[in-house]
Amino acid sequence: MYRQLDRMRAEVKARTAWMDELTEEEIEAMLRGLAECVEAMESTGGDAPERPEGPA
């Protein structure tokens, strides 16, 4: 189990390493873009068809 956890940690670290290279300005721009996407989704959320709950 510990080996699997270590492997998963290494995979997450490898996938997110690019974030360490971002400047503050790039991070701020990403967060603004994310906020705009969330707002757009929330504003149109009432128009989306209902999805059945449970596994697909």
Side-chain angles (χ1 to χ4, degrees):
M1 182 186 287
Y2 288 111
R3 288 182 192 161
Q4 182 181 6
L5 183 57
D6 288 341
R7 189 171 43 247
M8 292 174 69
R9 283 183 183 139
E11 290 174 4
V12 168
K13 187 174 183 178
R15 285 193 303 257
T16 59
W18 62 273
M19 294 179 72
D20 292 335
E21 305 295 321
L22 294 175
T23 65
E24 287 293 321
E25 293 82 17
E26 291 170 324
I27 293 171
E28 290 172 5
M30 284 178 51
L31 291 175
R32 279 193 305 272
L34 178 60
E36 290 173 8
C37 287
V38 169
E39 288 174 12
M41 289 172 42
E42 287 176 341
S43 69
T44 61
D47 300 336
E50 297 249 348
R51 293 183 62 188
E53 291 189 25

